[in-house]
Amino acid sequence: MGDSTAAGLKVLGACHHDCPDTCAWEVTVVDGVATRLQGSASHPFTAGTLCPKVHRFLDRVYHPDRLLSPMRRTGPKGSGDFEPIGWDEAIAEVAGRMRGLIDAGRPESILQFSFAGTQGLIQMGVALDRLFDVIGASDIRRDLCGATSWHGAASVLGTPYGIDPESLRHSRTIVLWGTNTRITNRHLWPVIEQARAAGALVVVIDPVRTDTAKAADVHLQVRPGSDVALVLGLLHVLDRDGLLDQQWLADATRGWPELQASARPWDPERAALATGLPAERITWLAERMATQGPTGIRTLIGAEHRFNGEEIVRGVTMLAAALGSWREVGGGLARSTQTWQLSALAMPRRRSGRRALNMARLGEMLAPESPLDPAIELLFVHNSNPAVILPDQNRVLAGLAREGLFTVVVEQFMTDTAAYADIVLPTTSQVEHLDLSHSWGHLYLALNQPALAPLGQCRPNSQIARDLAAALGLDDDLLRQDDEQLIRGLLSSGHPFLEGITYERLAEEGWARLAVPQGARPHVDPIPGIPNGPMRLGALEHRPGQETLDGASPLRERYPLALISRKQHPKFLNANYGGFPEHQPSAGGPHLQIHPVDAAARGIEDGGMVRVGNDRGEVTVRAEISQDVQPGLVAMPFGWWNRSTPQGRAVNALTNPALADDDRGSAYFHDTLVEVIGIAGGRAAEGASA
Ligand SMILES: Nc1nc2c(c(=O)[nH]1)N[C@H]1C(S)=C(S)[C@@H](COP(=O)(O)OP(=O)(O)OC[C@H]3O[C@@H](n4cnc5c(=O)[nH]c(N)nc54)[C@H](O)[C@@H]3O)O[C@H]1N2
Ligand SMILES: Nc1nc2c(c(=O)[nH]1)N[C@H]1C(S)=C(S)[C@@H](COP(=O)(O)OP(=O)(O)OC[C@H]3O[C@@H](n4cnc5c(=O)[nH]c(N)nc54)[C@H](O)[C@@H]3O)O[C@H]1N2
Ligand code: SF4
Ligand SMILES: [Mo]
């Protein structure tokens, strides 16, 4: 567990946030108090540094606003008025309500709503998932992040193992496709800088001039949602100029003739019109990728939050497949590594049969007119803040406010969601519980060991699962296991990636790389555990979403601007810190970036307050006139709490909740049209009441 010295006990752990980096850390504990948190210098990816959001995480642990006892609501839903109650009473009440619904034959009227507030596997899902699985409650499909990209990449690669992001250090051409590495995946940036020092060129494809675009060699500022047209233009040039290896296409892929036919009409001039890029830039990039390899394409989820998000990721994956750069270390597609990690672990099997509902639809599900049968009567939220993170926020808040809905929220803080709870259960933070942390940005697993006893009366999510199981009289082996047994279970798969990785080794060393050699080439080398089949290419069509600058929606007349709500603040991590003044930017509350042309057309001044609205809602924020966005595109950061605007609403009051017809994948957050109106004479200080 670490070293004990006069300076205190050092406990090894890892960051729990939903961030690709999963940094390994060390907590120094003196007399039961955590005095220091630092990155583990030995970890190859973290290399001793945390990030601006987390290096003062102990302030969050000991924050005066931490929830320290169970509470019952005393005021109206949303008011945040609560009184403390004991655990026995809280568990008895929650279990009693659950029992009533189970006995009435309506276990599915209980909805487990959860996401990735912690990525430690036990506290994220394993324990509570089992509880809800055993009782047959409705499950939430956690599709809001990554699922769309997974489907897009899987349609080409089968199981979508991308390359190890660390191998990008060997690339000569690095394309950061719709990912803001320096903000969202900052420990990958040194890897990219290493490649650069050895001569690599870094290209960013993003409709916004992000911090990453500013640090890159080339920024291709595409029209939002036009990436499929760019892929087709690139493939057109690659094909026309004989830059593709026909032998590779024949051996390693299927379906090239269909993809080739799709690309034929997309000469660079046509692609230039659709993407807003100069035609010669498209020709240049195609040549560069084919002739200056290895070409590594890196993507996360930036382009998936759209109607055509899955097609964008599929297109980018087919481009990487056609290029054949996978044959060289540093070539290929680097995407989420979650597939590597989860396939190695013995994740508990779900029972079949319980209905699973797409999380983006929560507002709809909770509405009185919802056709769901049975309707949702008990909502149990853990590891998520749906009042802030879901699209069409007004609908979500109306749902949470519904009388007759009994809501339980397991939280560390009085979030915008917790304020709607009937019962709040206080939960431990990462330094207070045991967990196995996986990563979706690299190939290292980490054991997070508790450095502290739980603060106040907090209990880990897993303990809450066990307490409820006991109160419900459930007889299930996994619900009796403690956290260490559950982790040992996950590590017991016998999968080749786990060779040599034991609980004891993790406890001693803190972290371990999956047993995958550096430089292993997925889809080329035979890697035990990874199926190698031909990559599936096929026809590809550029279809912009309805609610976009190029779409067919009649809304465009009233709402002529497209809104992006990306992760933007270096000190925010989703909605974890948006309510904490010490994490907020010095310029004050939320802002909207708007291009000088659009600002001038509306008489908007830099720093003036503006109303941003559409049929779904409105928020008042400060305008920042910026060339970082393009004409027609405005950007507002995601992560601010609802109470940060005069309306008590954040950017998701505006965003589009639409989903694919088959109900899978993420909502079309970024396919959102708005209008922006300046508030006459409204300077920031007057307009913001929060
Ligand atoms: N500081 C910080 N770091 C984080 C997070 C955070 O909130 N704050 N969140 C974490 C989480 S949960 C995730 S999933 C990751 C996400 O990591 P990323 O995917 O890197 O982040 P996003 O901001 O979602 O999107 C990246 C970029 O996609 C661009 N984009 C939008 N539409 C398009 C398009 O049509 N085409 C192209 N090419 N690009 C487009 C946006 O402008 C944005 O700059 O970040 C993680 N890291
Ligand atoms: N407009 C817009 N909306 C977005 C996005 C966007 O880019 N734009 N991004 C989307 C994406 S990619 C994601 S991943 C989602 C994120 O959605 P969420 O996963 O809901 O967001 P987080 O803020 O990461 O975590 C939620 C809560 O988990 C709690 N938490 C942390 N640790 C623990 C624990 O150990 N136990 C319990 N019970 N709770 C804990 C935190 O206090 C926090 O309030 O948001 C999505 N929404
Ligand atoms: S949020 Fe990400 S970068 Fe920051 S410490 Fe956690 S894992 Fe590392
Ligand atoms: Mo995410």
Side-chain angles (χ1 to χ4, degrees), residues 167-241:
S167 64
L168 291 174
R169 74 167 49 91
H170 303 289
S171 313
R172 270 193 73 75
T173 301
I174 297 178
V175 182
L176 302 175
W177 203 307
T179 180
N180 190 2
T181 313
R182 279 170 61 88
I183 295 290
T184 60
N185 185 192
R186 57 188 290 126
H187 292 87
L188 184 63
W189 190 253
V191 172
I192 291 170
E193 284 292 358
Q194 270 182 39
R196 239 174 165 184
L201 189 92
V202 178
V203 181
V204 166
I205 300 176
D206 199 304
V208 179
R209 198 166 140 75
T210 60
D211 289 7
T212 308
K214 287 173 193 166
D217 298 294
V218 176
H219 176 208
L220 300 181
Q221 195 164 10
V222 281
R223 218 170 149 70
S226 70
D227 304 67
V228 170
L230 177 57
V231 166
L232 290 167
L234 292 168
L235 286 166
H236 177 98
V237 176
L238 291 167
D239 181 37
R240 180 194 69 192
D241 297 352

Side-chain angles (χ1 to χ4, degrees), residues 18 145 301 440 567 574:
D18 187 0
C145 174
I301 60 103
W440 46 281
K567 288 100 181 162
N574 297 336

Side-chain angles (χ1 to χ4, degrees), residues 15 17 19 21-23 50-51 53-54 187:
C15 179
H17 277 312
C19 164
D21 295 6
T22 311
C23 294
L50 299 173
C51 69
K53 13 187 200 318
V54 167
H187 292 87

